[in-house]
Amino acid sequence: MKVFISSLDNVDIPLLRIRSLGLGLYTVEVTLSDGWAVVCDDQGEVLRFTGMEWARRRLSHLKVRRAVLHHASAYHEMIGAEESRPGPLEVPISWPADGH
């Protein structure tokens, strides 16, 4: 599901996830009452960032209760490890409104 950035201006966001896609590319997802949504610009294009800090700066006006960096590693596939996949790494991060 997609959500336009302009529609999030006065929304209390329980969880914001900055997803690391590798090669310095990040997207942002938020939880809403009906599930996860990827954040898009007002033309419907998924917002993409070349660094986590760029995402934080661009979206700093949002009211976020909790923010995490989400990174799923493909390392096990690269080294030929078993098919079972380790869970993604989620690291809590401070959000600009936190005052950090």
Side-chain angles (χ1 to χ4, degrees):
M1 177 169 65
K2 292 182 177 182
V3 63
F4 296 109
I5 190 170
S6 59
S7 68
L8 295 173
D9 285 344
N10 295 310
V11 175
D12 186 30
I13 301 168
L15 179 59
L16 178 141
R17 178 165 62 192
I18 297 177
R19 182 182 289 271
S20 171
L21 301 175
L23 301 174
L25 184 62
Y26 298 83
T27 60
V28 178
E29 302 166 335
V30 295
T31 54
L32 301 173
S33 59
D34 51 349
W36 284 101
V38 65
V39 179
C40 299
D41 63 18
D42 290 330
Q43 288 72 43
E45 294 292 322
V46 174
L47 290 178
R48 295 180 302 270
F49 301 94
T50 56
M52 185 179 78
E53 190 58 32
W54 292 114
R56 287 167 42 118
R57 288 179 188 181
R58 174 69 171 91
L59 305 172
S60 65
H61 67 284
L62 298 180
K63 298 175 189 173
V64 174
R65 281 193 248 154
R66 183 170 171 254
V68 295
L69 172 64
H70 180 97
H71 177 75
S73 175
Y75 177 74
H76 68 289
E77 294 174 14
M78 293 187 295
I79 63 168
E82 62 203 43
E83 300 250 346
S84 66
R85 185 177 192 152
L89 175 66
E90 280 201 355
V91 180
I93 58 174
S94 64
W95 196 251
D98 292 344
H100 296 121

